[in-house]
Amino acid sequence: ELKVEQNPLFLSMQEGKNYTIYCNYSTTSDRLYWYRQDPGKSLESLFVLLSNGAVKQEGRLMASLDTKARLSTLHITAAVHDLSATYFCARSGAGGTSYGKLTFGQGTILTVHP
Amino acid sequence: DAEITQSPRHKITETGRQVTLACHQTWNHNNMFWYRQDLGHGLRLIHYSYGVQDTNKGEVSDGYSVSRSNTEDLPLTLESAASSQTSVYFCASSERPNTEAFFGQGTRLTVV
């Protein structure tokens, strides 16, 4: 069974602090995605990670992928209030019946406090 | 600008009624997906399509159907709405099966 597990599910941070969200998946994946969702809104694509060792950065967010460990991380540097949102990781299959279909983690609700 | 739109944005319906949620994209993407979002479950795939006349069942397809008569639209039908189908529904599309998916604004459906 395909599983994608994120932790933590809830994250309360102080502004200026660093933290990491972890995304573990159960089977070989072709690629890994990170999305952001603001309350009541749609999902916004943040990162697409294509291969082992891939690292992408945008502002205070950096995502990485370790396909051997089946682990992706989303690192937050010097958090600011605007980063408060729900973050999802999702994997898509390499082929067969899972090809192109996204399997999502449960989401991590991030709240950044002053 | 190309986009993906869902309608209605909010819908309240009664148990047992048939409901159709619309999804329209102007990117000319072949691949379209329907997900439902429930707290604690993330997003789960209901149905998907890789092109006109192609439809496939996802993880939670029972009680739902889709049809794909053109590239732009993938309507989702709840045959006989149940309270368990109260959820937020998202439509998405992608250029190729394994590329980034773009999501619509979502439809909040309440079945009473």
Side-chain angles (χ1 to χ4, degrees):
Chain A
E1 181 188 349
L2 298 175
K3 282 189 177 180
V4 179
E5 295 185 342
Q6 290 180 232
N7 72 85
L9 300 184
F10 301 93
L11 180 54
S12 181
M13 296 178 63
Q14 272 192 309
E15 281 189 332
K17 298 291 187 182
N18 304 332
Y19 209 88
T20 300
I21 299 171
Y22 297 89
C23 174
N24 291 273
Y25 54 95
S26 61
T27 61
T28 301
S29 176
D30 190 47
R31 53 194 65 190
L32 198 292
Y33 305 83
W34 284 95
Y35 286 89
R36 168 183 171 144
Q37 184 182 36
D38 293 307
K41 303 294 185 181
S42 184
L43 280 79
E44 172 192 358
S45 177
L46 294 175
F47 300 108
V48 180
L49 302 171
L50 303 178
S51 60
N52 187 43
V55 177
K56 290 198 173 179
Q57 183 163 4
E58 180 72 33
R60 301 174 187 274
L61 300 177
M62 182 174 71
S64 65
L65 178 62
D66 181 346
T67 57
K68 294 179 181 176
R70 295 178 184 169
L71 172 68
S72 181
T73 61
L74 181 66
H75 187 71
I76 302 154
T77 301
V80 293
H81 179 72
D82 285 352
L83 290 179
S84 296
T86 299
Y87 293 85
F88 291 96
C89 65
R91 57 158 316 273
S92 64
T97 58
S98 64
Y99 185 56
K101 298 183 293 183
L102 293 176
T103 302
F104 282 83
Q106 310 96 309
T108 296
I109 299 175
L110 170 65
T111 305
V112 181
H113 299 283
Chain B
D1 284 343
E3 60 181 3
I4 180 167
T5 55
Q6 294 182 233
S7 62
R9 294 293 311 279
H10 302 272
K11 174 80 175 177
I12 300 175
T13 191
E14 295 178 341
T15 301
R17 290 200 180 260
Q18 184 181 78
V19 177
T20 296
L21 309 183
C23 176
H24 179 81
Q25 53 96 3
T26 58
W27 281 299
N28 204 36
H29 286 167
N30 282 324
N31 311 299
M32 296 185 72
F33 309 86
W34 273 104
Y35 294 88
R36 60 178 288 174
Q37 183 177 23
D38 305 287
L39 193 62
H41 290 279
L43 281 82
R44 292 179 291 175
L45 183 64
I46 306 171
H47 281 285
Y48 60 103
S49 169
Y50 289 146
V52 176
Q53 301 302 332
D54 176 73
T55 61
N56 305 280
K57 294 181 179 180
E59 178 187 355
V60 290
S61 61
D62 287 349
Y64 304 93
S65 64
V66 294
S67 60
R68 188 87 181 272
S69 59
N70 58 54
T71 301
E72 296 80 17
D73 299 289
L74 187 70
L76 177 71
T77 298
L78 286 68
E79 306 292 347
S80 176
S83 58
S84 60
Q85 294 177 308
T86 292
S87 186
V88 180
Y89 291 85
F90 285 97
C91 179
S93 72
S94 65
E95 183 177 5
R96 292 182 297 277
N98 249 3
T99 58
E100 181 182 14
F102 297 93
F103 285 78
Q105 290 299 100
T107 295
R108 183 174 295 276
L109 177 68
T110 303
V111 183
V112 298

